[in-house]
């Protein structure tokens, strides 16, 4: 089973009276507050940290096709052992309807946590136009705008806990299942990445529609 | 797409403060605002962005050595931030970077192809005019700029021409253009009176296909081909007989004969033995048996060979003569008219004209081709010089750094296996990737054996870096080998490969005519293919010569070319010079991975 832990933190700004106690606010005071609208998120999620539902015992069997062309477990081939007895997620994508090959992200597992991802709309009042030079200010021209954009504040630090995946190419979408014409399943691992620890990810991501 | 084995969930909770002065809240858009947002695409921009994996351990797995042992690859750092000057870098200053901006965003969008739409229709967009209007493309594009100073490709070309000669960039490219225009004028003056390119082309075709008795080239080529076949056949018959003859002569020699002055040319057969001429007719009557047998066998073979050699010689003489005649025809000149220049000269002039002026039909005007391309580059360069003189500056780019540490097994000559640490440090300083885009769309495969939809793509990659530094020194450049992390800057500088003013502008794929295709083979390897230009994809009748000529003219005139410029390559401060690969284009490319 996957354990999920959630942390949420709500930001509340409070009008502080002179004696700094928590007091209830009346309507007129509340009306003067321009709050930090938006969302502040912290989260932790993990993928298959303790294995997934398909390959629970940490092994991935190989199959053969029976008389009706249905896959059945092939006991003559020893199953694929997942690292540390924990099988990660497998994602396979075929780019062409007629090709036999699949691009695969395999053994994706691990945890990721972040704190301080913010989400809000911001009204852009001006933007720099790098294509036009303003001789008066001797800088790039500033264009006046009145546009709403979605601003996602990146969390600053994102911590990975045993996060890993492999990039591979395979000849079938399902692991271990041979092709309809009997060709054995084959997956070629190209490289894998393992990430552990905190990475710095700072900045603001603006999202907006374009024509 | 098949997704298996995935269970995860995130639950969010949020709190919102709503106040009457809702300056920055998520608010409902009214109809008028909604009407303005057509939402065909999503623009995004990153402000004050920094990515650094310094605090994390990042490993690359799955790479094995020749003994199938996995190599330990530690990706010790990946850094993406803002461009800093060398002084700032030495002082350890780091900056953030803006990736795109509101008015010049990175974009993910779907667009409709414009091929077949008239240029004046509102849906026409030249950028997508090579893909059919019955499909939508998915485009991922970085920021793009109309200002020549901000456009990194034109700016890099300006830098390239600045370094090329003694003047400024504009003067240097003008010198090149003057040479090119001179070449065009030379060709045009040779063919004074020719107004249309087709006149030159027709004279070439006429010379080639003229009858044999009128100096025709093709009939003579056929004669040469026939004579070549005759000679090859004669030689194929003669050669084994000659080889046998040479072998028999060696056998004969080994039996020990030597020239005997007493009998004219008659040999002794073995040491001490004399070949007898008891009949006194200057011919050998009596010799030891082995020598005699060998000598007779050799002589018979000579008699067999001599007529074959004569045949070979005759056919070779005929071939030489017909080749000479072909050369004469290729170089023949009349006294006047277009044909006062030989066939070979006219072909060289025609090819040079096409390279310089493109495929336009007007011989007196240079409409496209290299001259036109240089003129376009010069106009951008002039614009940049104007901007720089006006005090304009370029925006700041990225700094990207990546370091790897490899732990390898090495075996010395005694077979002792030890480990060795290797390092690779790559820094891209002042990096710009504006003008890059990837476009994808789907088409039915035209391979009847393999029907189905395929992913087609087009790539426009522009990468300009003020400097790329590559260093593999690692622990050998430490100040103190026992103290990690403190490097000697002089040693680092002496062992670094620097590529200054590096531009790669890679353009692969040209719409429906020449898409990029991605696939994977059934044995688990990926394939990337750029097909040859395909007339069937745009409905050109392959049997119609004129239509096919126009198809290829259009392809060669319009399919984009790729460039690589490196302003200066230097190692440890020693400059090797600049590198240029200018204007190349792949007509067929296939890249396939293999399991080693």
């Amino acid at each position: 089973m996957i354990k999920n832990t959630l942390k949420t933190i709500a930001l509340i700004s409070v009008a502080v009276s002179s004696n700094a106690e928590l007091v209830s606010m009346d309507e007129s005071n509340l009306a003067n507050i321009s709050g930090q609208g938006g969302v502040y998120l912290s989260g932790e999620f993990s993928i298959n940290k303790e294995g997934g539902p398909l390959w629970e015992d940490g092994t991935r069997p190989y199959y053969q096709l029976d008389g009706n062309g249905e896959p059945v477990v092939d006991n003559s081939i020893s199953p694929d052992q997942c690292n540390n007895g924990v099988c990660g997620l497998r994602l396979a994508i075929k780019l062409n309807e007629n090709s036999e090959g699949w691009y695969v992200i395999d053994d994706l597992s691990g945890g990721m946590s972040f704190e301080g991802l913010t989400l809000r709309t911001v009204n852009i009042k001006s933007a720099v136009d790098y294509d036009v030079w303003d001789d008066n200010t001797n800088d790039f021209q500033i264009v006046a705008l009145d546009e709403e954009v979605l601003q996602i504040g990146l969390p600053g630090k994102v911590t990975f806990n045993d996060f890993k995946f492999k990039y591979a190419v395979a000849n079938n979408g399902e692991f271990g299942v041979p092709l309809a014409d009997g060709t054995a399943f084959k997956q070629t691992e190209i490289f894998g990445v393992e990430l552990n620890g905190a990475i710095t990810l700072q900045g603001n991501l603006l999202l907006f529609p374009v024509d | 797409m098949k997704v298996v084995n995935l269970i995860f969930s995130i639950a969010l909770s949020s709190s919102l403060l709503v106040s009457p002065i809702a300056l920055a809240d998520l608010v409902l858009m009214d109809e008028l605002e909604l009407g303005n947002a057509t939402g065909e695409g999503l623009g995004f921009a990153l402000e004050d962005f920094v990515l650094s994996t310094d605090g994390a351990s990042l490993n690359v797995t799955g790479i094995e050595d020749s003994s199938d042992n996995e190599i330990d690859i530690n990706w010790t750092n990946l850094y993406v931030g803002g461009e800093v000057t060398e002084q700032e870098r030495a002082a350890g200053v780091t900056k953030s970077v803006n990736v795109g901006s509101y008015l010049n965003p990175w974009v993910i969008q779907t667009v409709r192809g414009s091929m077949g739409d008239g240029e004046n229709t509102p849906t026409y967009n030249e950028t997508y005019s090579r893909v059919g209007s019955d499909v939508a493309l998915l485009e991922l594009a970085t920021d793009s700029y109309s200002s020549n100073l901000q456009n990194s490709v034109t700016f890099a070309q300006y830098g390239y021409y600045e370094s090329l000669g003694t003047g400024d960039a504009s003067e240097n490219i003008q010198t090149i253009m003057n040479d090119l225009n001179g070449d065009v004028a030379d060709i045009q003056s040779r063919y004074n009176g020719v107004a249309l390119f087709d006149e030159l082309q027709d004279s070439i075709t006429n010379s080639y296909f003229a009858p044999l008795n009128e100096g025709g080239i093709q009939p003579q080529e056929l004669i040469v081909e026939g004579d070549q076949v005759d000679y090859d056949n004669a030689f194929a018959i003669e050669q084994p007989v000659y080889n046998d003859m040479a072998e028999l002569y060696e056998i004969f020699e080994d039996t020990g004969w030597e020239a005997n002055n007493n009998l004219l040319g008659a040999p002794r057969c073995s040491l001490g033995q004399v070949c007898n001429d008891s009949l006194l007719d200057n011919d050998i009557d009596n010799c030891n048996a082995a020598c005699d047998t060998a000598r007779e066998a050799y002589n018979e073979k000579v008699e067999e060979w001599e007529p074959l050699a004569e045949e070979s010689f005759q056919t070779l003489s005929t071939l030489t003569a017909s080749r000479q005649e072909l050369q004469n025809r290729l170089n023949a000149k009349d006294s006047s008219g277009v044909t006062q220049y030989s066939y070979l000269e006219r072909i060289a002039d025609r090819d040079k004209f096409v390279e310089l002026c493109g495929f336009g039909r007007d011989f007196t005007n240079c409409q496209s081709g290299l001259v036109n391309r240089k003129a376009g580059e010069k106009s951008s360069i002039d614009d940049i010089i104007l901007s720089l003189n006006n005090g304009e500056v370029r925006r700041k780019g990225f700094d990207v750094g990546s370091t790897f540490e490899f732990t390898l097994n090495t075996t010395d000559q005694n077979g002792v296996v030890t480990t060795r640490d290797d390092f690779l440090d790559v820094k891209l300083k002042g990096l710009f990737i504006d003008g890059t885009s990837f476009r994808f769309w789907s088409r039915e495969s035209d391979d009847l054996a393999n029907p189905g939809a395929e992913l087609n793509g087009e790539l426009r990659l522009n990468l300009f870096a003020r400097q790329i530094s590559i260093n593999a020194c690692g622990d050998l450049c430490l100040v103190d080998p026992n103290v990690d992390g403190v490097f000697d800057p002089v040693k680092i500088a002496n062992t670094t490969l620097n590529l200054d003013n590096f531009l790669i502008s890679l353009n692969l794929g040209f719409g429906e005519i020449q898409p990029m295709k991605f696939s994977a083979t059934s044995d688990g390897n990926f394939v990337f293919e750029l097909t040859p230009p395909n007339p069937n994809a745009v409905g050109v009748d392959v049997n119609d010569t004129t239509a096919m000529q126009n198809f290829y003219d259009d392809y060669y005139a319009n399919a984009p070319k790729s460039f690589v410029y490196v302003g200066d390559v230097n190692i440890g401060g020693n400059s090797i010079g600049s590198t240029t690969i200018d204007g190349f284009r792949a007509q067929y490319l296939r890249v396939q991975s293999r399991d080693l």
Side-chain angles (χ1 to χ4, degrees), chain A residues 2 4 6 8-13 30-41 44-48 51-55 87-93 95-103 119-121 123-124 127-133 135 138 140 143 145 147-151 154 165-167 169-171 173-174 179 186 188-211, chain B residues 1-21 23-27 33 36-63 70 75 96 98 100-109 144-147 150 390-395 444-445 447 450-456 517-528 593 595:
Chain A
I2 307 294
N4 291 328
L6 307 158
T8 56
I9 299 177
L11 254 190
I12 306 175
S13 73
L30 262 176
N32 292 333
I33 295 167
S34 64
Q36 289 280 333
V39 167
Y40 179 97
L41 280 174
E44 179 185 327
F45 70 87
S46 63
I47 300 177
N48 285 25
L54 191 58
W55 300 303
C87 291
L89 171 155
R90 181 166 183 271
L91 175 68
I93 301 174
L95 293 177
N96 300 309
E97 216 175 329
N98 56 9
S99 86
E100 292 290 347
W102 296 69
Y103 291 90
L119 184 69
R120 60 175 167 225
T121 55
N123 186 289
I124 302 269
V128 178
D129 187 353
Y130 290 98
D131 282 326
V132 182
W133 188 259
D135 287 327
N138 216 29
F140 298 109
V143 173
L145 295 168
E147 302 287 346
E148 299 279 331
V149 302
L150 185 65
Q151 184 192 68
L154 297 175
F165 68 89
K166 293 184 184 135
Y167 169 68
V169 180
N171 64 354
E174 292 182 63
L179 303 176
K186 182 171 172 179
T188 307
E189 184 189 311
I190 312 288
F191 66 86
V193 174
E194 288 172 11
L195 186 50
N196 222 341
I199 69 171
T200 305
L201 190 64
Q202 289 172 3
N204 290 320
L205 174 65
L206 306 180
L207 294 174
F208 41 91
V210 293
D211 290 331
Chain B
M1 191 168 89
K2 231 178 153 130
V3 178
V4 295
N5 206 24
L6 167 64
I7 299 177
F8 75 100
S9 61
I10 300 177
L12 318 167
S13 74
S14 61
S15 93
L16 284 169
L17 267 187
V18 180
S19 79
I21 318 163
L23 289 176
D25 289 342
L26 292 166
V27 294
E33 286 173 317
N36 291 336
T38 57
E40 285 158 11
L42 184 66
F44 59 97
L46 277 166
E47 296 175 328
D48 297 327
F49 178 70
V50 175
L51 167 70
S52 169
T53 64
D54 208 9
S57 88
L58 184 56
N59 289 312
V60 177
T61 60
I63 313 285
E70 195 163 296
W75 195 345
S96 62
N98 290 338
S101 59
Y102 184 80
L103 293 170
N104 302 93
W106 287 33
V107 169
I108 297 178
Q109 61 181 352
S144 63
Y145 298 89
S146 57
S147 153
Q150 302 303 329
N390 194 27
E392 292 180 37
V393 296
R394 263 177 74 78
R395 68 198 188 285
E444 286 292 318
S445 161
D447 179 0
N450 267 330
E454 285 184 326
L455 183 69
N456 290 355
K517 295 193 182 179
F518 312 88
S519 58
T521 60
S522 57
D523 62 355
N525 288 300
F526 66 82
V527 178
F528 158 73
S593 69
D595 211 358

Side-chain angles (χ1 to χ4, degrees), chain B residues 422-424 471-478 487 492:
Chain B
D422 281 350
F423 301 87
L424 185 62
N471 181 283
C473 189
D475 282 350
L476 292 172
C477 286
L478 287 171
F487 294 98
I492 296 271

Side-chain angles (χ1 to χ4, degrees), chain B residues 220-478:
Chain B
Q220 189 61 33
E221 281 180 345
L222 291 173
I223 291 175
V224 168
E225 258 180 58
D227 290 346
Q228 181 74 53
V229 168
D230 290 342
Y231 170 67
D232 289 341
N233 289 342
F235 188 75
I237 296 170
E238 180 217 336
Q239 187 68 359
V241 175
Y242 179 85
N243 290 340
D244 289 343
M245 186 179 76
E247 262 183 54
L248 288 172
Y249 184 78
E250 278 189 29
I251 294 172
F252 179 32
E253 240 190 343
D254 287 345
T255 59
W257 74 275
E258 50 185 82
N260 181 350
N261 290 330
N262 297 330
L263 291 168
L264 282 163
R268 279 182 185 272
C269 275
S270 61
L271 272 162
Q273 241 187 354
V274 176
C275 287
N276 217 324
D277 183 15
S278 52
L279 300 173
L280 295 175
D281 60 359
N282 287 337
D283 196 5
I284 298 165
D285 307 318
N286 201 2
C287 247
N288 96 336
C291 172
D292 202 33
T293 314
R295 181 179 56 81
E296 261 189 50
Y298 169 67
N299 283 340
E300 272 172 28
K301 197 50 86 168
V302 169
E303 276 173 30
E304 190 188 332
W305 172 77
E306 274 174 344
L308 299 178
E310 180 63 24
E311 178 66 16
S312 278
F313 179 73
Q314 288 301 332
T315 51
L316 183 60
S317 300
T318 312
L319 175 62
T320 308
S322 55
R323 276 185 181 158
Q324 185 60 54
E325 173 59 21
L326 179 61
Q327 281 304 309
N328 293 342
R329 289 173 184 231
L330 289 171
N331 291 301
K333 300 182 195 197
D334 288 343
S335 54
S336 65
V338 172
T339 49
Q340 68 180 288
Y341 302 101
S342 71
Y343 177 80
L344 289 179
E345 284 173 331
R346 278 177 275 147
I347 285 197
D349 285 340
R350 176 203 65 187
D351 291 348
K352 190 80 188 163
F353 184 82
V354 165
E355 180 198 331
L356 293 171
C357 298
F359 291 87
R361 287 296 172 246
D362 186 350
F363 195 70
T364 56
N365 279 322
C366 210
Q367 292 169 326
S368 60
L370 187 58
V371 165
N372 197 265
R373 182 155 68 84
K374 292 293 175 193
E377 287 176 14
K378 177 163 192 296
S379 126
S380 304
I381 286 169
D382 288 342
D383 194 38
I384 289 173
I385 291 178
L386 210 62
S387 302
L388 289 172
N389 289 338
N390 194 27
E392 292 180 37
V393 296
R394 263 177 74 78
R395 68 198 188 285
K396 290 285 185 195
F398 297 74
D399 271 357
V400 176
S402 188
T403 52
F404 296 89
E405 217 174 278
F406 306 88
T407 306
L408 303 167
N409 291 326
T410 61
T411 312
D412 67 13
Q413 63 253 37
N414 299 323
V416 177
V417 178
T418 51
T419 59
R420 186 185 87 211
D421 287 336
D422 281 350
F423 301 87
L424 185 62
D425 183 330
V426 179
K427 287 189 174 57
L428 295 98
K429 304 170 192 168
L431 174 71
F432 296 88
I433 51 173
D434 54 275
T436 296
S437 64
F438 298 86
R439 299 180 194 130
F440 301 103
W441 66 97
S442 167
R443 275 291 174 211
E444 286 292 318
S445 161
D446 50 13
D447 179 0
L448 295 171
N450 267 330
E454 285 184 326
L455 183 69
N456 290 355
E458 217 180 57
L459 165 68
R460 305 277 176 262
L461 170 68
N462 293 318
L463 189 148
F464 170 65
R466 192 172 41 78
Q467 187 179 70
I468 298 182
S469 303
I470 302 174
N471 181 283
C473 189
D475 282 350
L476 292 172
C477 286
L478 287 171

Side-chain angles (χ1 to χ4, degrees), chain A residues 167-187:
Chain A
Y167 169 68
V169 180
N171 64 354
N172 204 354
E174 292 182 63
F175 187 89
V177 175
L179 303 176
D181 64 0
T183 314
F185 173 80
K186 182 171 172 179
Q187 177 162 302

